[in-house]
Amino acid sequence: MYDPDDLEAIREGKSEWESETLGPTLDRFGEREETFTTDTGGQEVKRLYTPDDVADLEYDEDVGFPGEEPYTRGVYSTMHRGRLWTMRQYAGMGTAAETNERFQYLIDQGSSGLSMAFDLPTQMGYDSDAAMAQGEVGKSGVAIDSLADFERVFDDIPLDEVSTSMTINAPASVLLAMYVAVGDRQGVDREQLRGTIQNDIMKEYIARNLYIYPPEPSMRLITDIFEFCAEETPNFNTISISGYHIREAGATAAQEIAFTLGNGLEYVQAAVDAGLDVDSFAPQLSFFFAAHNNIFEEVAKFRAARRLWGRLMEERFDPDDPASKQLKFHTQTAGSTLTAQQIENNVVRVGYQALAAVLGGTQSLHTNGKDEALSLPTEESVRTALRTQQILAHESGAADTIDPLAGSYYVESLTDDVEQEAHDLIEDVDERGGMLDAVQSQYVQREIQDVAFERQEEIERGDRVIVGVNEFEVEDDEPEMDLEEVSEEEEQNQIDRVQELRETRDQEATDEALAALRDAAAGDANVMPYIVDAVKAYATVGEICNVFRDEFGEYQPGR
């Protein structure tokens, strides 16, 4: 906190500067805009920030040191000076063989982590030959029907040497079981498995709609995963509580962290209610945020999220293990900011967004390919995206000191503002019965949709400049792009593989495993060991998810 006499002197100095220096300049030239605002929140950005804007800041209480509460400056004491963030590149080509080829390429190019995208049928728990899968097989990621596909994906990739993130939610338990099964078959101790499953069903109800089961059984699956991983795979992150898709749906920075942390609190409470000790699973929680274009707002968001999560966990669950209060997060650059027009501009956008993530202290980072507004990235664009991270790490100096923007009057003030706005939103959600009730009543969805609508209107009016879209356009035709595509032949090949699998597997063993899983789902046993047994018997994703569909039903919004 600043001395009152010093603050008074600063205020007097600012007043004098405004009248003697600033005033004549404004009279002659004015400013570019009448009002400046943050990128998404729309909060006014002042012309100048001084110590007066952070007069109430207590260093120990509000900023502190890395690795110590309140974790504003980072959850590890050395941060990127000790170990660089994990450089993940999202990959999931149409078939398992193609995905293996891309993974091998990324490892050869220096990627330190794999990030796996799944096609829509897999994400919805359907096999490739299901009627609902027609035309979508392999289109938005890799098609996974059985353990045989997973074995192809990780052929010659030792699971004790890589960290793998899987963007999967409703069927997360099944894909995690497949990863465990591949590790078992490679002879890898389960304690050596590292990575993350997204496993965040709440944000599916909010933003993406890729859900299968109603909330209550979905939460049961999540807490079963928490318990299983705490005992079997302690170095694997059991959930990636995702603000990314909330932000992509149109949320502001403050809404992104408020609704994401709100979801996190809901998961923690569900696990505690199921009888788990908070310290047995909370250290394995991880978060997933977007990085947008406004560098300062994004850095403030990341710092505010760490501080707010630590405070909320302390207040609500009183954990003994400090790691239970540490917010560790993955960041992906913002897909919603990529444009099909002047596609090369996306390389610049991604670079600035990646810088914000690094300055904000991310634990891992995925940088988008320039062509992801149109398709899955090509080999060339994914290499450029990875090189963006490597240049940041080794040439920019951004990773050489911890939390370099700390102490900036603007950034500290903005961190406080974002945290306060997010805290107020969480209190509003609490008054509505918590996130589950707020989502089922559509409150959260309406809040995000209102902002998204307002921002789109700003773009269409030209009030919000999107370079190459509504300003600085070019008349010439854009050059043709080499885009990744999945052919009808490749889709049919995948269908043939899953049908051949059903004809050649030990059907009796498969049936017995599925029956045991059905009994577990109907009772109160942890279903994860039964899912592992089922995938090892080559039960398919669709068959396992259909067991749960039969036992749990399917979610129908508003019913």
Side-chain angles (χ1 to χ4, degrees):
M1 182 175 292
Y2 288 88
D3 184 281
D5 292 338
D6 292 340
L7 287 175
E8 187 57 38
I10 289 167
R11 293 183 192 115
E12 291 176 1
K14 182 182 177 185
S15 178
E16 184 177 329
W17 167 77
E18 287 174 338
S19 63
E20 296 184 8
T21 304
L22 175 65
T25 303
L26 289 177
D27 289 341
R28 290 186 62 190
F29 304 110
E31 292 182 322
R32 289 183 291 113
E33 305 284 347
E34 183 176 338
T35 303
F36 290 78
T37 61
T38 55
D39 185 38
T40 57
Q43 302 101 329
E44 183 176 355
V45 178
K46 298 180 184 179
R47 178 180 293 113
L48 184 72
Y49 288 79
T50 73
D52 198 21
D53 294 288
V54 290
D56 295 330
L57 191 73
E58 295 282 358
Y59 185 84
D60 288 342
E61 208 173 293
D62 299 321
V63 183
F65 296 94
E68 297 180 359
E69 294 187 57
Y71 303 115
T72 312
R73 306 200 68 181
V75 293
Y76 301 120
S77 58
T78 57
M79 291 302 287
H80 298 145
R81 284 172 64 96
R83 178 182 172 183
L84 290 170
W85 62 94
T86 301
M87 299 182 191
R88 297 192 189 279
Q89 287 307 125
Y90 203 33
M93 314 311 289
T95 66
E98 289 174 295
T99 299
N100 175 265
E101 184 179 338
R102 175 60 62 87
F103 279 174
Q104 298 279 13
Y105 174 78
L106 287 168
I107 291 169
D108 289 344
Q109 294 299 313
S111 182
S112 53
L114 305 175
S115 187
M116 197 167 178
F118 300 91
D119 69 359
L120 284 174
T122 305
Q123 292 185 60
M124 293 299 293
Y126 292 113
D127 292 333
S128 295
D129 60 346
M132 291 289 287
Q134 187 174 359
E136 292 294 340
V137 175
K139 290 292 177 68
S140 61
V142 62
I144 298 293
D145 291 314
S146 72
L147 180 60
D149 290 321
F150 238 57
E151 290 168 333
R152 288 189 190 94
V153 168
F154 292 101
D155 186 34
D156 287 332
I157 299 176
L159 296 194
D160 56 347
E161 296 180 12
V162 298
S163 169
T164 306
S165 174
M166 294 182 278
T167 305
I168 195 72
N169 294 283
S173 57
V174 185
L175 278 301
L176 171 62
M178 288 184 180
Y179 198 77
V180 170
V182 171
D184 287 349
R185 299 203 167 168
Q186 288 185 0
V188 176
D189 191 303
R190 291 182 179 183
E191 290 190 0
Q192 293 180 282
L193 296 176
R194 294 179 298 112
T196 304
I197 46 171
Q198 193 159 99
N199 194 28
D200 177 9
I201 201 64
M202 289 289 292
K203 72 94 171 56
E204 296 297 337
Y205 300 131
I206 293 171
R208 287 213 317 166
N209 300 322
L210 296 180
Y211 43 72
I212 303 175
Y213 323 112
E216 187 174 338
S218 293
M219 296 296 273
R220 176 201 169 171
L221 290 174
I222 289 169
T223 55
D224 280 359
I225 289 170
F226 287 176
E227 183 180 43
F228 175 83
C229 289
E231 295 174 359
E232 298 285 335
T233 60
N235 292 309
F236 204 93
N237 294 316
T238 54
I239 193 168
S240 177
I241 305 164
S242 178
Y244 182 85
H245 303 94
I246 292 172
R247 188 68 174 276
E248 290 288 276
T252 67
Q255 286 176 331
E256 179 187 0
I257 64 172
F259 298 143
T260 305
L261 301 193
N263 285 344
L265 295 172
E266 196 80 30
Y267 294 130
V268 174
Q269 188 63 61
V272 169
D273 290 345
L276 301 184
D277 180 83
V278 66
D279 290 321
S280 73
F281 66 88
Q284 289 175 278
L285 304 179
S286 67
F287 290 80
F288 175 21
F289 294 116
H292 276 237
N293 288 328
N294 189 311
I295 292 173
F296 300 110
E297 183 179 34
E298 295 304 290
V299 171
K301 178 190 75 180
F302 297 133
R303 299 173 85 244
R306 272 194 299 266
R307 188 164 70 194
L308 183 54
W309 180 249
R311 288 172 172 171
L312 290 168
M313 287 295 289
E314 176 69 29
E315 292 167 4
R316 301 191 184 202
F317 301 102
D318 192 25
D320 293 324
D321 187 349
S324 296
K325 297 181 280 188
Q326 295 172 347
L327 183 145
K328 298 176 282 288
F329 67 96
H330 168 70
T331 309
Q332 181 176 339
T333 57
S336 62
T337 67
L338 302 181
T339 64
Q341 301 93 329
Q342 298 182 35
I343 203 165
E344 297 294 339
N345 294 345
N346 293 331
V347 176
V348 181
R349 292 186 178 100
V350 168
Y352 287 135
Q353 292 164 9
L355 174 62
V358 171
L359 294 177
T362 193
Q363 274 61 69
S364 67
L365 177 61
H366 161 70
T367 35
N368 290 331
K370 66 181 181 181
D371 45 3
E372 288 191 51
L374 299 171
S375 73
L376 290 169
T378 63
E379 193 170 278
E380 178 186 3
S381 64
V382 81
R383 183 176 64 242
T384 300
L386 177 59
R387 294 290 182 259
T388 300
Q389 295 201 49
Q390 292 165 336
I391 291 168
L392 258 178
H394 301 291
E395 297 184 26
S396 74
D400 294 349
T401 190
I402 301 168
D403 192 24
L405 295 182
S408 157
Y409 306 132
Y410 177 38
V411 170
E412 295 293 0
S413 176
L414 192 51
T415 300
D416 286 348
D417 290 346
V418 172
E419 181 186 10
Q420 185 60 55
E421 186 177 347
H423 185 271
D424 291 345
L425 283 166
I426 290 172
E427 285 193 335
D428 192 11
V429 165
D430 286 343
E431 291 174 2
R432 296 170 184 272
M435 278 298 290
L436 203 53
D437 287 347
V439 168
Q440 290 181 306
S441 70
Q442 301 290 304
Y443 162 74
V444 174
Q445 294 91 318
R446 286 194 300 272
E447 289 291 298
I448 295 169
Q449 289 162 6
D450 288 347
V451 174
F453 182 75
E454 182 180 334
R455 296 295 172 262
Q456 185 59 38
E457 281 193 322
E458 291 172 357
I459 293 170
E460 292 175 5
R461 291 196 306 265
D463 296 341
R464 180 177 290 261
V465 173
I466 307 297
V467 173
V469 176
N470 61 1
E471 285 283 353
F472 313 111
E473 300 160 83
V474 293
E475 294 182 3
D476 297 337
D477 290 338
E478 294 285 331
E480 286 190 16
M481 292 293 300
D482 178 22
L483 301 176
E484 292 285 351
E485 294 181 335
V486 177
S487 67
E488 291 183 10
E489 180 182 4
E490 288 173 311
E491 179 173 356
Q492 186 59 50
N493 288 341
Q494 181 67 23
I495 291 171
D496 293 343
R497 276 192 291 271
V498 69
Q499 292 177 344
E500 182 182 356
L501 172 86
R502 293 198 196 97
E503 294 171 359
T504 57
R505 70 190 176 186
D506 182 342
Q507 190 61 45
E508 183 177 350
T510 304
D511 291 341
E512 288 177 357
L514 289 172
L517 175 61
R518 188 179 301 277
D519 289 343
D524 57 6
N526 189 311
V527 298
M528 278 304 301
Y530 298 92
I531 301 175
V532 173
D533 289 343
V535 301
K536 286 184 175 181
Y538 291 95
T540 65
V541 171
E543 289 167 339
I544 294 171
C545 289
N546 284 341
V547 168
F548 293 138
R549 281 187 174 96
D550 292 342
E551 294 299 323
F552 301 153
E554 294 187 78
Y555 180 59
Q556 302 293 330
R559 294 185 186 177

